[in-house]
Amino acid sequence: MTALVAQSFNIKGIVQGVGFRPWIFQLAKRFQLTGHVLNDGQGVSILVQGPEMALAGFRAALDTERPPLCRIDELTVSHAQVQDLQDFTIAHSSAGQAAAIVTVGSDKSNCDACLAEIRDPNNRHFGYPFTNCTHCGPRYTIIRNLPYDRHNTAMAGFALCDACRQAYEDPMDRRYHAQPVSCPKCGPELTLRGAGGEILAKREQALAQTIALIEQGKILAIKGLGGFHLICDAGNHDAVTELRRRKCRPAKPLALMMPSIEFAKQYAEGSSAEWQLLSSQERPIVLMAKKQHHADAPALSSAIAPDIDRLGLFLPYTPLHTLLLDGLLRPLVATSANRSGEPIITDGDEVLQQLGKPPLAVVDAILDHNRPIINGCDDSVVQMLDDELQVLRLARGYAPLSLPSKCLASMNIVSKCLASMNIVSKSLVSMNTASKSLANKDSGDNSSNKLPSLLAVGPQQKNTLALNIGNQLYLSPHIGDLFSVEAEGYFERTLQSFQRLYRFEPEAIIRDKHPDYASSRWAERQSTRQLEVQHHFAHLLAVMAANDYSGKVLGFSFDGTGLGDDNQLWGGELLLADCQGFQRLATLSPMTLLGGEQAIREPWRLLYSLLLQNHGIEELQQLAVFAAEPAAKLTNLGKLANSGIGPKSHSIGRLFDAAAALLANLRLSQYEGQAGIILETLARRAIAAGKQQRVEKLGLELKLEHELEPTNTRAELVLGQWQSAPLFSALLLAWRTEPDSELLALAFIQAIGKGIITAALKARNWLKAEGIDELPLVLSGGVFQSRLLSEYCHRELARLEFHRLKPGLVPVNDGGIALGQLWYGLHQPGLTQSLVER
């Protein structure tokens, strides 16, 4: 008789709600093993026993196969005692006692098998808008607690019918323990309501009448996975312009939901990587190039993305969306249901309250259903830079984002060593010591659960939250800008969701240095120990965290604003940094924000401030770009600039605003990033017209140099300052000589890119002279959402053999700040050691 061997497996990662247990069951049956598999708060536990060769085959399959939505972050194997077992079973889940380590999965779009069923008149799921299986459907948005079992989800109130129960309990069925599983007999149902809340129709009739209303040009709120969309016919210009009027959204582009890839190809052009991304199971909104309208394709309203050459497209990601678009066969505007600047709405009654009543009536009707949204989650927004994915908004499909860190797995081993160093200085010596200590440690130790749990509360705009459970880092879905009571409430509800799911109580809070951010004010109200992290430093740290990297980097941190260590507004920084601190090597020369924050809303003020550094007030008053302003106003602003009074900004983002004021007469910025989008549109037109060869002749440069008499404050800048005023004087001269806005937009973007490359080369030489080895580069901050700028930099840096750390799924804009804050906190030896000892 063959001797039996027993082994136990403990697995952490995305292993609940993704068909992992039934797959293990099928695997055990294949190799004729006995034992059991169990979900708990730590992940999945497996006991298998059988002949040694069979166990070897089982172990190999764990490494080479796996369900499509599964992700194994940590797998430990140990010998177990052979027991008297006759079969392999799936045991009931256990909540466990310790803090949860299992990762909550993100929502995924419907799979092909489920789509085939809702289109098959002979299938019991035909026309059912809530079909799913273990390979698709909602996860994060419906979960209340871990483990991910039906009674812990929004489906708890829906009793399974006999047919669904049979599928749910059959380990060989793809719906085995798919928690939202249901059918028309036992699941959620649709309800169509008028703007006053009255019921107009239910179930199939609700969908049919919704289709009819959209065809009539009405604006509807329709419930998705993580919130409501405002939807109208994208080809109905009156409906689109009315949506803009009602939502007070005059210019910001609107996303389009397309019935299929084939439809999308009538309106957009893209690479194979972009089309694959559009049809991926994450179903993000993908920014793609507009295609010239073809007579055979229904025309889109010109109000969808006015004056720009990009469209934000996505495909249906729920059975409801699929059935809706199957009925309409036309593109739909699908934008988040909210008041402008506020978080997405997740409750139908709240939609009616906020968007259905005068004087702010936005919707004509609402298509609701009775499956609650437990955790709100907006749509993800992405773009491709050549063939590199860049996430602009981390949300449905990707979030919550979990990042297992091997670097942090060794933190408990080195904490006492680091604490003894008493590293509190930001000097280069201390940075070297701490970085090398962490980077060189063996990460094989499995004691990450002894790391303190920290909470990072992110910035003011594009807010997200980050936390860790041991060496697992979690970044929340997009929360948004914290400029309203509603947004701050959404921030707190998101935090409560993570605390509930992971039974998480932070031992310390990490926040931005800016004291007036809503997230900073919230942190100040807590009694928990706190750390502050400078905004632009956190940008770099976010990319380091995405790469599980703790060493030194050379980082460009370019964005719109952020409070610097000298209480000025930074945003054009070259930093030498590691997890302990940074040294500022270069910055953009300061410009005065004439009128304070008003200068950000009115870009002509920024242009005026920059040109005043080399031009007289009377000369500038003759320019057409300033003609709309009274001469007395310009004179007063000129005196203010010359006096040196007023807030100063070092922001590259503000340079884009100023350039758009000159080249596109952008007088009022109507949404964040508008200037950059307009300049890119102009620049791409220049490329399409073959104007690249003329750029070099213009000689536009963003020079990096020291002033003749640097102040004590600026003397610390090893490489000096990028000189913005000469760049704009040259831009003005070129504009007067040849007012080709397309050519000059391309020249401006390339001048910024060349300024980055020149600085990287100078920094490389300086580091070499200082005896510092070649360092990886980081490009981070919202400015690098400029596709042309980033692609230019990526190619040039690769040509010059720089190693660049890529952000992966972490947003390069402020959406990644919280992760950078968390990475900083987890590498502070004094903090981590004192908390561990406590």
Side-chain angles (χ1 to χ4, degrees):
M1 183 175 180
T2 305
L4 297 181
V5 177
Q7 289 182 331
S8 65
F9 296 78
N10 289 289
I11 301 174
K12 298 173 184 176
I14 302 177
V15 289
Q16 293 190 11
V18 293
F20 191 75
R21 287 183 300 168
W23 176 70
I24 292 294
F25 178 89
Q26 295 165 25
L27 209 58
K29 291 293 186 182
R30 187 204 309 176
F31 290 102
Q32 299 181 336
L33 300 172
T34 59
H36 57 76
V37 58
L38 168 72
N39 270 356
D40 61 23
Q42 300 291 302
V44 169
S45 298
I46 307 167
L47 173 69
V48 287
Q49 68 179 35
E52 188 172 354
M53 288 294 292
L55 258 67
F58 176 87
R59 177 68 178 87
L62 274 177
D63 292 331
T64 58
E65 299 181 25
R66 304 177 188 175
L69 301 184
C70 159
R71 190 190 81 197
I72 293 179
D73 295 334
E74 187 178 319
L75 186 154
T76 58
V77 187
S78 58
H79 292 291
Q81 185 175 354
V82 175
Q83 304 175 32
D84 183 16
L85 300 173
Q86 303 302 315
D87 203 353
F88 192 90
T89 60
I90 298 176
H92 292 295
S93 298
S94 165
Q97 300 299 316
I101 301 298
V102 65
T103 295
V104 176
S106 57
D107 294 21
K108 300 298 182 183
S109 64
N110 31 229
C111 67
D112 290 342
C114 285
L115 288 183
E117 289 178 345
I118 66 172
R119 289 167 169 158
D120 179 3
N122 298 315
N123 191 282
R124 68 188 183 92
H125 299 96
F126 175 65
Y128 182 57
F130 305 101
T131 300
N132 85 295
C133 68
T134 56
H135 304 312
C136 65
R139 300 293 193 275
Y140 170 72
T141 55
I142 65 167
I143 188 170
R144 283 193 176 92
N145 288 298
L146 288 169
Y148 178 67
D149 285 332
R150 192 177 180 95
H151 65 275
N152 285 330
T153 73
M155 294 298 294
F158 297 93
L160 291 164
C161 67
D162 291 343
C164 285
R165 180 165 293 283
Q166 182 178 353
Y168 182 82
E169 293 178 349
D170 182 0
M172 306 305 289
D173 194 292
R174 81 174 200 278
R175 287 190 167 89
Y176 176 78
H177 278 219
Q179 307 309 336
V181 67
S182 61
C183 73
K185 289 184 179 180
C186 63
E189 63 178 35
L190 296 174
T191 301
L192 179 67
R193 292 192 280 173
E198 68 278 14
I199 295 177
L200 304 177
K202 287 195 171 188
R203 299 174 72 90
E204 295 85 353
Q205 285 303 309
L207 181 61
Q209 289 191 32
T210 295
I211 291 171
L213 288 171
I214 293 172
E215 289 175 332
Q216 294 167 24
K218 302 299 184 182
I219 298 168
L220 276 79
I222 296 180
K223 195 173 188 178
L225 287 180
F228 282 81
H229 286 118
L230 295 177
I231 283 181
C232 69
D233 181 355
N236 187 323
H237 184 69
D238 290 341
V240 176
T241 53
E242 180 64 10
L243 173 60
R244 285 197 176 278
R245 186 193 70 79
R246 293 183 187 181
K247 200 183 177 187
C248 302
R249 185 171 172 170
K252 189 176 182 180
L254 298 166
L256 296 176
M257 186 179 285
M258 292 286 173
S260 65
I261 282 281
E262 291 70 31
F263 254 92
K265 287 184 176 179
Q266 296 180 76
Y267 301 100
E269 296 177 323
S271 65
S272 59
E274 286 174 314
W275 293 119
Q276 289 173 13
L277 183 59
L278 187 70
S279 57
S280 68
Q281 204 163 9
E282 288 76 19
R283 287 290 198 277
I285 297 172
V286 183
L287 303 186
M288 302 183 72
K290 278 183 183 177
K291 191 174 187 177
Q292 188 171 9
H293 179 249
H294 194 277
D296 295 337
L300 297 176
S301 166
S302 59
I304 287 168
D307 303 320
I308 63 174
D309 65 348
R310 298 271 137 177
L311 291 173
L313 306 182
F314 63 139
L315 297 181
Y317 59 85
T318 71
L320 173 57
H321 292 125
T322 298
L323 293 168
L324 181 68
L325 282 156
D326 280 357
L328 286 162
L329 286 178
R330 68 188 72 186
L332 298 177
V333 169
T335 186
S336 300
N338 55 7
R339 291 190 296 219
S340 186
E342 294 185 358
I344 190 170
I345 301 174
T346 60
D347 179 76
D349 289 339
E350 189 177 349
V351 171
L352 293 173
Q353 181 67 33
Q354 292 194 27
L355 306 179
K357 296 181 178 181
L360 297 174
V362 176
V363 299
D364 298 308
I366 170 175
L367 184 62
D368 201 355
H369 60 72
N370 58 339
R371 184 179 70 196
I373 296 173
I374 306 300
N375 306 302
C377 193
D378 218 319
D379 297 312
S380 290
V381 181
V382 303
Q383 66 179 354
M384 295 299 295
L385 307 178
D386 290 327
D387 286 332
E388 181 180 327
L389 172 65
Q390 185 183 72
V391 175
L392 307 179
R393 183 167 72 196
L394 182 77
R396 178 188 49 76
Y398 298 110
L401 178 63
S402 63
L403 299 170
S405 170
K406 293 181 179 179
C407 170
L408 289 174
S410 64
M411 182 68 75
N412 188 59
I413 299 175
V414 303
S415 60
K416 291 184 180 180
C417 171
L418 289 172
S420 68
M421 295 178 187
N422 193 25
I423 303 173
V424 295
S425 169
K426 289 184 179 179
S427 68
L428 292 178
V429 175
S430 64
M431 289 162 54
N432 278 332
T433 307
S435 302
K436 291 178 180 178
S437 296
L438 287 170
N440 295 336
K441 284 290 178 181
D442 178 18
S443 61
D445 179 77
N446 187 28
S447 58
S448 60
N449 60 343
K450 296 180 182 177
L451 283 168
S453 293
L454 307 182
L455 169 67
V457 295
Q460 179 77 358
Q461 294 178 276
K462 296 181 175 62
N463 182 268
T464 55
L465 297 168
L467 57 92
N468 73 294
I469 306 290
N471 68 316
Q472 285 279 348
L473 312 182
Y474 298 95
L475 184 61
S476 79
H478 169 83
I479 294 172
D481 299 345
L482 304 182
F483 290 119
S484 68
V485 172
E486 289 80 4
E488 292 184 34
Y490 191 56
F491 166 92
E492 295 195 20
R493 290 194 299 276
T494 303
L495 174 57
Q496 290 164 6
S497 292
F498 277 85
Q499 289 178 313
R500 183 180 65 248
L501 286 170
Y502 290 109
R503 298 184 287 282
F504 171 83
E505 288 297 331
E507 298 170 71
I509 296 173
I510 324 297
R511 66 174 182 84
D512 194 278
K513 275 195 169 183
H514 200 303
D516 293 329
Y517 283 178
S519 53
S520 298
R521 294 197 306 269
W522 178 90
E524 284 290 339
R525 294 194 296 269
Q526 314 307 309
S527 59
T528 311
R529 183 174 177 180
Q530 297 180 28
L531 286 181
E532 298 177 349
V533 186
Q534 198 278 326
H535 187 92
H536 301 93
F537 179 32
H539 268 307
L540 306 185
L541 289 160
V543 180
M544 294 164 67
N547 289 271
D548 198 19
Y549 180 79
S550 296
K552 256 200 291 288
V553 299
L554 190 64
F556 293 85
S557 191
F558 286 7
D559 63 4
T561 191
L563 186 64
D565 282 350
D566 57 2
N567 287 321
Q568 288 195 3
L569 298 176
W570 293 6
E573 315 307 320
L574 173 55
L575 308 177
L576 175 63
D578 71 3
C579 294
Q580 300 305 314
F582 65 90
Q583 180 180 354
R584 196 182 187 201
L585 301 184
T587 188
L588 183 70
S589 58
M591 70 190 85
T592 301
L593 298 181
L594 297 176
E597 290 189 5
Q598 193 171 0
I600 299 172
R601 295 189 294 272
E602 299 178 5
W604 66 266
R605 292 172 178 264
L606 298 167
L607 176 64
Y608 192 53
S609 175
L610 286 163
L611 292 177
L612 279 169
Q613 296 184 44
N614 288 318
H615 301 267
I617 294 174
E618 293 184 2
E619 176 191 354
L620 296 181
Q621 286 179 345
Q622 308 306 312
L623 296 178
V625 67
F626 304 123
E629 303 303 324
K633 180 178 180 180
L634 293 175
T635 299
N636 289 335
L637 288 175
K639 292 178 180 178
L640 178 64
N642 292 332
S643 72
I645 300 173
K648 303 293 189 295
S649 171
H650 297 261
S651 166
I652 297 286
R654 301 285 80 87
L655 292 191
F656 277 76
D657 294 340
L662 177 64
L663 303 180
N665 196 29
L666 181 66
R667 297 192 54 76
L668 179 67
S669 183
Q670 296 171 302
Y671 59 90
E672 186 187 10
Q674 183 178 15
I677 293 172
I678 290 173
L679 290 176
E680 282 225 28
T681 297
L682 293 171
R684 276 190 285 263
R685 289 175 185 164
I687 293 171
K691 299 178 182 179
Q692 302 98 310
Q693 294 79 9
R694 295 164 56 192
V695 169
E696 291 296 330
K697 296 179 181 179
L698 294 173
L700 293 187
E701 291 184 273
L702 182 63
K703 292 183 178 180
L704 179 62
E705 56 189 29
H706 283 287
E707 294 182 347
L708 292 178
E709 296 179 0
T711 65
N712 291 334
T713 302
R714 294 170 184 167
E716 67 182 25
L717 298 171
V718 173
L719 301 180
Q721 297 183 343
W722 286 284
Q723 301 299 314
S724 54
L727 169 63
F728 272 80
S729 288
L731 191 64
L732 176 61
L733 177 61
W735 176 252
R736 282 171 161 168
T737 304
E738 185 179 7
D740 185 334
S741 59
E742 296 173 0
L743 173 64
L744 293 177
L746 178 60
F748 170 79
I749 292 173
Q750 288 197 5
I752 303 296
K754 289 177 182 177
I756 292 169
I757 302 304
T758 300
L761 290 169
K762 287 186 175 181
R764 172 190 268 176
N765 293 333
W766 176 77
L767 289 170
K768 186 176 181 180
E770 293 291 314
I772 301 175
D773 293 336
E774 184 90 3
L775 298 178
L777 279 182
V778 171
L779 305 180
S780 191
V783 167
F784 290 106
Q785 292 176 154
S786 168
R787 184 170 175 170
L788 284 180
L789 175 64
S790 286
E791 288 178 343
Y792 175 86
C793 291
H794 294 176
R795 294 167 190 165
E796 286 299 298
L797 292 171
R799 183 180 66 83
L800 295 167
E801 299 183 340
F802 282 95
H803 171 55
R804 178 173 58 87
L805 298 181
K806 300 177 181 180
L809 293 177
V810 177
V812 72
N813 55 36
D814 280 11
I817 287 282
L819 184 65
Q821 293 171 342
L822 180 66
W823 197 241
Y824 174 80
L826 287 167
H827 286 84
Q828 298 315 296
L831 173 67
T832 54
Q833 178 62 21
S834 64
L835 293 178
V836 168
E837 289 176 346
R838 190 187 312 165

